[in-house]
Amino acid sequence: MRRCLQLGRAALIAGDAPVGSLIVVGGKIIAEGIESVKSKNDPTAHAEIEAVRVACDKFGAPDLRDATLYTNVEPCVMCAFAIRQTGVRAVVFGLANDRVGGASSKYPVLTASGFPAKHAPPEIRAGVLLAECENLQRDFENFKSQIK
């Protein structure tokens, strides 16, 4: 999670939302993603999607059944769908996003058992390094208020 926070800080410095994500298989980081929606002018360039893309390229298939995805902010609904489609085994995050989060919002794509996805819901672990994740989000909110 500390690496996710480092990646999130890099995203913030680049002018994007402070989100970093990584995918771990067998205790090793195999992919990283940094939020880059604004810098790439691509609404799908969320940190989690970026990490999933790199991991799927490495494996040559969209099969991440042995993977754990880490991210400092709960994956949104879009990211949650990609996570479900690739079969990620577990999702670990710090800060919940009750507005559009894939587990804690009214759109629980990550956890819905009847959801039409290829794979079963992943294990969810929330609140990891929560204070540090909240601090980074606070820095982002302060940054946004300064440029208005």
Side-chain angles (χ1 to χ4, degrees):
M1 187 59 71
R2 293 200 192 286
R3 180 64 181 147
C4 292
L5 289 163
Q6 291 173 340
L7 294 168
R9 178 123 347 246
L12 178 62
I13 290 167
D16 285 286
V19 184
S21 184
L22 47 94
I23 295 179
V24 174
V25 175
K28 295 183 181 176
I29 296 173
I30 61 149
E32 294 183 340
I34 183 171
E35 191 84 5
S36 49
V37 169
K38 287 185 179 180
S39 55
K40 288 185 176 179
N41 195 28
D42 178 352
T44 68
H46 288 203
E48 299 88 348
I49 297 276
E50 296 292 296
V52 164
R53 284 178 178 144
V54 171
C56 289
D57 282 348
K58 280 189 177 182
F59 289 122
D63 182 359
L64 301 177
R65 286 179 284 173
D66 296 326
T68 299
L69 182 139
Y70 292 82
T71 186
N72 56 300
V73 178
E74 177 183 358
C76 74
V77 174
M78 175 182 69
C79 295
F81 187 79
I83 290 165
R84 288 292 299 271
Q85 289 299 98
T86 59
V88 168
R89 181 181 52 81
V91 174
V92 179
F93 64 87
L95 186 62
N97 181 349
D98 60 0
R99 193 170 49 89
V100 294
S104 67
S105 75
K106 64 181 180 178
Y107 313 106
V109 173
L110 275 177
T111 58
S113 59
F115 190 78
K118 285 180 167 182
H119 301 281
E123 298 171 31
I124 304 292
R125 183 170 170 216
V128 176
L129 296 181
L130 181 58
E132 291 92 333
C133 294
E134 289 172 333
N135 287 339
L136 183 56
Q137 188 63 33
R138 219 174 349 267
D139 290 348
F140 177 55
E141 296 302 325
N142 290 337
F143 174 75
K144 284 192 324 187
S145 69
Q146 290 175 5
I147 60 171
K148 284 185 178 180

